[in-house]
Amino acid sequence: MAECSVTVDSTDQMSYDTKEITIDRSCKEFTIRLTFSGELAKNVMGHNLVISRTADMQNIVTEGMSQGLDNDYLKKDNPAIIAHTAMIAAEEKETSVTFDPSKLEVGGDYSFFCTFPGHVAMMKGKVVVK
Ligand code: CU1
């Protein structure tokens, strides 16, 4: 049976607990659950999880910076964003996003990452589509 969800934890150390997630394209829907196991507040250690083609990642991060914390440092109407969670931290320790994995191509080069300013250097990983 296909595994149609994954949980990724994020921390006060500006990190996710995994460097790679696998999305099974045979799932009707795929859910990514993002948790926060730290103690810091969103304005200092907010994390989200965004999926895009790796080639679009830097642009999404850069344009997100000017959107501010109120918009989760993300320009959400950018069509290059395939899926994204809300930004969380100690105030709200869990969120999730459910999307249609048929938007992804098997073998495509995709990444997941955090758009909080400065975090992408440490908070990114590979999305494997099978
Ligand atoms: Cu972050």
Side-chain angles (χ1 to χ4, degrees), residues 111-127:
S111 290
F112 67 94
F113 51 95
C114 175
T115 61
F116 193 99
H119 287 199
V120 72
M122 290 180 64
M123 297 189 72
K124 64 181 169 207
K126 186 176 167 56
V127 177

Side-chain angles (χ1 to χ4, degrees), residues 10-11 14-16 36 44-49 87-88 113-120 123:
S10 60
T11 73
M14 206 194 291
S15 65
Y16 295 123
F36 182 85
V44 287
M45 195 51 71
H47 303 313
N48 59 7
L49 191 153
M87 188 160 278
I88 60 168
F113 51 95
C114 175
T115 61
F116 193 99
H119 287 199
V120 72
M123 297 189 72

Side-chain angles (χ1 to χ4, degrees), residues 7-21:
T7 297
V8 177
D9 187 46
S10 60
T11 73
D12 281 347
Q13 283 73 46
M14 206 194 291
S15 65
Y16 295 123
D17 68 346
T18 181
K19 287 284 172 202
E20 185 174 303
I21 60 178

Side-chain angles (χ1 to χ4, degrees), residues 37-126:
S37 59
E39 301 300 330
L40 295 173
K42 187 155 90 171
N43 62 336
V44 287
M45 195 51 71
H47 303 313
N48 59 7
L49 191 153
V50 180
I51 292 177
S52 75
R53 288 191 179 275
T54 302
D56 295 325
M57 174 171 67
Q58 195 53 58
N59 183 46
I60 291 169
V61 168
T62 302
E63 74 174 10
M65 239 181 267
S66 62
Q67 303 297 305
L69 183 62
D70 287 348
N71 294 310
D72 292 352
Y73 293 109
L74 192 63
K75 192 168 181 299
K76 292 169 188 165
D77 61 357
N78 183 335
I81 297 168
I82 295 165
H84 70 86
T85 70
M87 188 160 278
I88 60 168
E91 299 94 328
E92 188 189 358
K93 292 195 157 194
E94 185 179 330
T95 188
S96 68
V97 60
T98 298
F99 62 100
D100 177 357
S102 70
K103 294 197 246 179
L104 300 164
E105 289 168 41
V106 173
D109 185 3
Y110 302 98
S111 290
F112 67 94
F113 51 95
C114 175
T115 61
F116 193 99
H119 287 199
V120 72
M122 290 180 64
M123 297 189 72
K124 64 181 169 207
K126 186 176 167 56

